[in-house]
Amino acid sequence: MPTKAQHHRHYRQVPSFLRALREEAGLTQRALGELLKRPQSWVYSCEAGIRRVDVGEFCQWCEACDIDPLSGFKRFLGLR
């Protein structure tokens, strides 16, 4: 049984989704980190599933990738 929330089976799709958003926006990890005022290592940790992203951070990530957060949630949930 997973002990950390980011290892839970329901969270497994989030890191790759975050990476896809960043790549589709044409951003490097460093560039996204600068937009979010975070180091590149933080972006890497989120995309690698080492660090869990909360709802507020998800919204900021979407906005930095020029995506409306609601559209990001709908896309993640497959509701487009």
Side-chain angles (χ1 to χ4, degrees), residues 20-32:
L21 291 179
R22 175 183 60 77
E23 289 177 343
E24 290 169 12
L27 297 170
T28 63
Q29 288 182 345
R30 184 172 309 280
L32 179 61

Side-chain angles (χ1 to χ4, degrees), residues 9-78:
R9 66 183 176 87
H10 294 297
Y11 190 78
R12 287 187 195 145
Q13 297 174 353
V14 174
S16 59
F17 182 74
L18 294 174
R19 180 178 180 176
L21 291 179
R22 175 183 60 77
E23 289 177 343
E24 290 169 12
L27 297 170
T28 63
Q29 288 182 345
R30 184 172 309 280
L32 179 61
E34 289 173 4
L35 290 170
L36 296 173
K37 298 184 178 21
R38 303 281 186 149
Q40 174 272 329
S41 59
W42 182 88
V43 175
Y44 168 80
S45 293
C46 294
E47 291 183 355
I50 297 167
R51 185 192 181 286
R52 187 177 177 102
V53 174
D54 67 28
V55 174
E57 292 166 339
F58 180 89
C59 291
Q60 292 172 336
W61 191 293
C62 287
E63 290 170 348
C65 293
D66 203 28
I67 296 170
D68 174 65
L70 181 56
S71 297
F73 279 115
K74 286 181 178 180
R75 181 174 159 192
F76 178 74
L77 296 171

